[in-house]
Amino acid sequence: MIVKDEEEMLPRCLESVRGVVDEIIVVDTGSSDRSVAIAQEYGASVVEFAWCDDFAAARNAGLEQASGDWILFLDADEALEATAREQIRSWTEVSGCDGLFLNIHNYTGSGQQGATVNPVLRLFRSHPEHRFKGRIHEQIAAAICERNPEAAFHITDMVIHHYGYQTVVVERKDKVNRNVRLLQQAVEEEPDQPFHHYNLGVEYLRVGEAEKALESFVKARKMIDPAVTSYAHLLLKYEVRCLEHLERWQEALECVDAALELFPEYTDLMHHRAICADAVGDTDAAEMWLRKAVQQGPPPAIFHTEEGMGTYQTWHTLGRLLEGKADLEGAVDAYVETVRAKSSLVPPLYRLFRIMRVSGQEGQIPAVMESRFAMSSEEALSKVLGILEQCHCYDAALELLGELPSASSGEQREKRSIAEAVLHVQRGDWSSARLKLETVKRKKGSFAPMAARWLERLQWLSGKEGQEMKFQDAFTRWLMNGSEVGEGRESASEEESGSTGWGKLAVEMGNRSNLENAATLEGVADADHAELYDGWQALGLMLEGCVQSGRWQALHGLIQRGRQLLDEVHDATEKKLAKERSQGEQVERDIIDAEKLIREPFTGASDTLSGTSWLVKGLIRAADHHLAQLTSDTEQVEPGKRQRLSYWPVIQHIRLELPGADGFEG
Amino acid sequence: MASSLSLHPCERFGQSLVELERYEEAHLLLSEETQRYPAYADLHLIYGEVLERQGLQERAYRAYARACNCGSSPNDHGRSGGGEAVVKAFYVTEAGSCSYRAYTSMARLAQQRGFGQEAVRLYELALEHLSTYRPAWMGLADALQQQGVSDESIADRLLHLAHRLHQIHVTTDHADQMNRPHPSLGKETKILLMHMLYALANCGAYKQALLLLGGEASHIHIPVGDQLHWMLCAGQVTDAWNLAQSSWGEADREDHKRTSFSSVITSGAEDAADMSLQSDERSDWALACWASGRRLPSSFFAKVSPLERGMWKVADRLLFEYKPAALSASSSTAPVPAVLDGQLLQWSEPVQMIARQLVARAIQSGHLVIAQQLHERLVRIMSDPERTETEIRRNYAGLLHQHGYTMIAAEMLIQCMTEGELDAEGLFCLGETLYSKGHLDQALSLLEQALEQKPDFSEARAGAAICYLQMALGLIRQERIRSSEVRVLADQQLALEKQLRIAEGIPWRTVYHAKERRNHHAGTSASETADSGRADLSVHDRQG
């Protein structure tokens, strides 16, 4: 393998082959970090090589030193999969052929969006004539076939994970720019090589330069014979993707149709054909193509495919399409299939629950979960619980909560009670919430302080105006203070964070956004639960409760209070910035005022983004509540005959599409 | 193989479903049928109507567009459910389904969504296909007014268009035309001009309509009732009065007057000749009299049934004989002569309705002073004695709001609020006006209050939902100014904006056309005069 400054990735890579290969050779092209040292720790032989813009040359330098019968080549940002470790020996011993294809799973973006899968030649018999060719995307197959025109290759199902194109890494390594540069060079040197144009197009597409990518792909396509070019299907698919990106739908349609003629079993093309049909408004054709794609399933192994084509991705796209056509039943089925195909996916569950809630079928959620999903583990149940809560299906969540296996410890019991109480708060059933919270408070366990805080908040919500109360909870005190400027009193002592300064804000915000998205106790370290259900989130939960119970005056009051605080924080920030800008020109009094305001009335108050998010959520929920009431069926005089507003379809559509939790955060 | 006859049933069935307001079934039926017979314009047209009723405006627009794409020639192919080609199916389609009717519907939607220029273009396109298509004329004038075009310019533009359309239809050669204009062309021009006049009047450009009627369109016959109404609306009250008198008044009816009057009282029978006036015409005549400071003539009473006569007499008296001491103050009673009480308490439903219609007519023709006085006095007499001053006023404000006098109505409603409670309708009207001015907080509060009183008030509920969404949008925009980098907020903003656009398909706002739109900013002059308590009825005689 070739490395340059790969100290981060190298350990994982070398660890994955430890004990599997007999010898590791690392060609170092000038690392200034610990790469060489790490390689030596794993017992690798390190070959120093002066980089000359030629990947093939560098690899060949390594090959020269190899003493094994078979060569496996990897990049530092790759790792051999666990099962492949066991299989390599058997494959190489049994196989009579000259080379073996492995499947690279490429993880892009943030890692959430699945992987693309490419079969590539990564294992080959060692021989002096087997040397790489090509500055970039260096190839070995050519040399093997030259030496033995009858050379045979096997396609295996062994997997190599490739992490190098994950967003953060790419930015750091500036890989793409380097690739573009090298490929442009290659294109200049060998303009008649379609493979260079193709690769250049791929790099352009990777950075979103669709126009340039398209140019390259078209050039490449004109030079190749699709019947014999191994990457022809990919080339055509990428061309379609460019046209889609540029929204040149007619051309995309023509392109994908032509491609489908050549490769009728290539599922990815069917999926894209559907996308194009939908874009031009032909939703029926879109549905047909998606169904065709799932029937086909993943394409035959010779095709490089994107993970999920013909399975979960296609099902999910079908679900969205059917939602748009108001075929909610069909959409539900499609989402169920999506989860079946990949159980770790959450977005389809969000859509599923929302559909059922909007169409008045929330009551059936538990039954659907039972009959169509296998949810045995507590972990799975907890995850679903969290999702139900975020989708505002409180009744279903409560039912599911009841089905959890009994708590293993007192602490866990209290944790669950708090979760249940919070569900009741959001339902607007504050008396039930109070009952649960009081129990937890009495236990005086680690959750007692949180319970106490919430009891105060509920007290404030249900209390009369002007009632003289002494509240411990900073948040409740802030609510009490009404229109007074936040005095920045010390938060209650049990909170670890206390009042924060501007400096700590970034760290706090980072933690908080994780907590918000969880919105439940899932995956939160116990030490952190002081910040859970607090701050702006507390406001959000109370807003939801007011909406659900129809207490619109309280709702308006809370919203106003929240907006007020946002303005105050904004003003304080402005003042501080102004102060920083005009050093020393600020009047003493102003500085003091600004600093007073900087002290947050409650933890996280100065995070206006969070505040806005929670307020917006509450407002959207209020709108949804009214829209729901508009579409609720009312019984007419004749029993069984219901009168509906004629425009309920547009309302249902809006309710399905309002912004809300969708599982894609974080 | 299907013949043309078999295509009728689904269209007819679809239409009857629409009439029965069974939109869901119609939707299902038509979404299938339009797939099967994609070249059948009528189906797309009805489908569009159904989609519009269901609030799905964008889809409706697309359906209408598909109707336009069908073309007018008989088609050779449809697709049956089994996929076999349907050979030689001629579509018996209603005229205009693929052209002017569809364009007009599209124009109407475009106008509703604020695409004024697009609406104008589409209306003109419709007229190019059928120059005599009245709805397109009406729509065009309305759309121009909405865009802020002046009445003179609207008239100019319409006239210009009429001439241009006329030219398109010139088929005979010049020589022929020189000597005698083609009879059908002449007739067509007449129709065009007539549509134009009505379009102008309909969009509130009464003056322009009357000018044209006196000038270039003088050979067009417009019924007396319509002319009278236009004059009344244009404030030309003396002209209006003269017209009414000469058409219906004493001059033509010398003989009838004495005999018919008594015979009507005794027999109670309706004499066809005397009862030829429609109720609107009667109202306009009365208003013309009152607005020009005159009392109702006997020839007027000759033309009303005994049932109504009482009411007219009382109205006439109320307007002229009282010096209203305290019109606006919440004093107990206005001095109603005791002698009338007996008569008045016998007012039946139909008569009450006529009285209400009279008030509405007065508002609609712009005579607010008269309208308010009539309302307060008549309504006070007619209605439940327990009804308070505030309630009566509130009722009137609702009428004003309906006719587009939103600011005046809002002032009155606010006044009512300070004096007492507003009912759900009043709260809604005020809320709607505040919403249109961008005061979301207050609008929301009022709408929620309206819902408290009347939970099934769907317009208020829809309005509240939309207010909440607008508020959410406002918060996002604010935060994006503060922290411009956040992608999540940008996505949310786009999604909300999109849903709010779609929500414009929800019919909760009061529908205003050009006539009413003009009154939105009608300000204080009318209310001031009313408040001053002067029974000066000739105040609106702007031009002699």
Side-chain angles (χ1 to χ4, degrees), chain A residues 89-141:
Chain A
R89 290 275 164 189
S90 38
W91 271 106
T92 49
E93 268 156 37
V94 172
S95 172
C97 55
D98 296 295
L100 295 167
F101 279 71
L102 281 73
N103 291 300
I104 309 267
H105 280 216
N106 296 291
Y107 299 97
T108 52
S110 56
Q112 299 277 49
Q113 289 120 295
T116 64
V117 179
N118 310 356
V120 283
L121 182 58
R122 281 304 182 92
L123 208 47
F124 61 94
R125 286 192 193 276
S126 180
H127 192 280
E129 283 176 41
H130 290 171
R131 291 293 178 264
F132 287 92
K133 287 199 189 92
R135 275 184 189 282
I136 179 167
H137 299 301
E138 59 286 10
Q139 303 290 303
I140 190 72

Side-chain angles (χ1 to χ4, degrees), chain A residues 311-369:
Chain A
T311 64
Y312 65 83
Q313 263 207 66
T314 309
W315 276 118
H316 189 90
T317 307
L318 180 59
R320 288 302 276 145
L321 181 76
L322 291 172
E323 272 195 75
K325 288 170 100 173
D327 176 3
L328 297 186
E329 235 184 273
V332 165
D333 283 337
Y335 289 130
V336 168
E337 292 302 319
T338 311
V339 179
R340 282 250 194 87
K342 187 165 179 179
S343 59
S344 59
L345 284 178
V346 283
L349 285 176
Y350 281 84
R351 285 319 298 170
L352 188 60
F353 295 151
R354 188 193 279 226
I355 290 173
M356 294 187 78
R357 178 175 60 79
V358 165
S359 54
Q361 295 182 310
E362 190 191 326
Q364 265 123 0
I365 291 179
V368 166
M369 296 306 296

Side-chain angles (χ1 to χ4, degrees), chain A residues 76-247:
Chain A
D77 55 6
E78 293 173 343
L80 193 61
E81 214 228 357
T83 26
R85 292 163 52 91
E86 293 148 24
Q87 293 171 343
I88 275 196
R89 290 275 164 189
S90 38
W91 271 106
T92 49
E93 268 156 37
V94 172
S95 172
C97 55
D98 296 295
L100 295 167
F101 279 71
L102 281 73
N103 291 300
I104 309 267
H105 280 216
N106 296 291
Y107 299 97
T108 52
S110 56
Q112 299 277 49
Q113 289 120 295
T116 64
V117 179
N118 310 356
V120 283
L121 182 58
R122 281 304 182 92
L123 208 47
F124 61 94
R125 286 192 193 276
S126 180
H127 192 280
E129 283 176 41
H130 290 171
R131 291 293 178 264
F132 287 92
K133 287 199 189 92
R135 275 184 189 282
I136 179 167
H137 299 301
E138 59 286 10
Q139 303 290 303
I140 190 72
I144 297 175
C145 293
E146 256 181 55
R147 186 183 87 91
N148 173 17
E150 306 294 312
F153 303 94
H154 262 139
I155 299 182
T156 75
D157 55 5
M158 293 189 278
V159 174
I160 294 173
H161 297 292
H162 174 213
Y163 302 103
Y165 285 114
Q166 289 187 300
T167 332
V168 178
V169 181
V170 171
E171 278 157 32
R172 233 184 289 145
K173 298 293 287 182
D174 207 24
K175 234 180 178 158
V176 177
N177 287 338
R178 175 207 64 189
N179 290 356
V180 166
R181 191 169 44 80
L182 290 173
L183 282 165
Q184 279 170 338
Q185 223 178 327
V187 160
E188 261 182 57
E189 289 170 8
E190 296 180 285
D192 294 324
Q193 268 297 345
F195 197 49
H196 295 322
H197 291 282
Y198 163 73
N199 285 312
L200 185 55
V202 168
E203 297 304 323
Y204 277 137
L205 191 56
R206 212 196 297 281
V207 287
E209 295 259 22
E211 286 269 17
K212 292 194 187 144
L214 184 62
E215 261 180 58
S216 298
F217 290 134
V218 168
K219 278 197 198 124
R221 178 172 41 85
K222 292 195 172 135
M223 295 179 206
I224 60 157
D225 175 3
V228 300
T229 313
S230 63
Y231 58 91
H233 63 285
L234 260 184
L235 172 57
L236 293 173
K237 178 172 82 164
Y238 287 146
E239 197 181 331
V240 172
R241 272 181 56 189
C242 287
L243 291 164
E244 285 175 355
H245 190 104
L246 296 164
E247 297 187 350

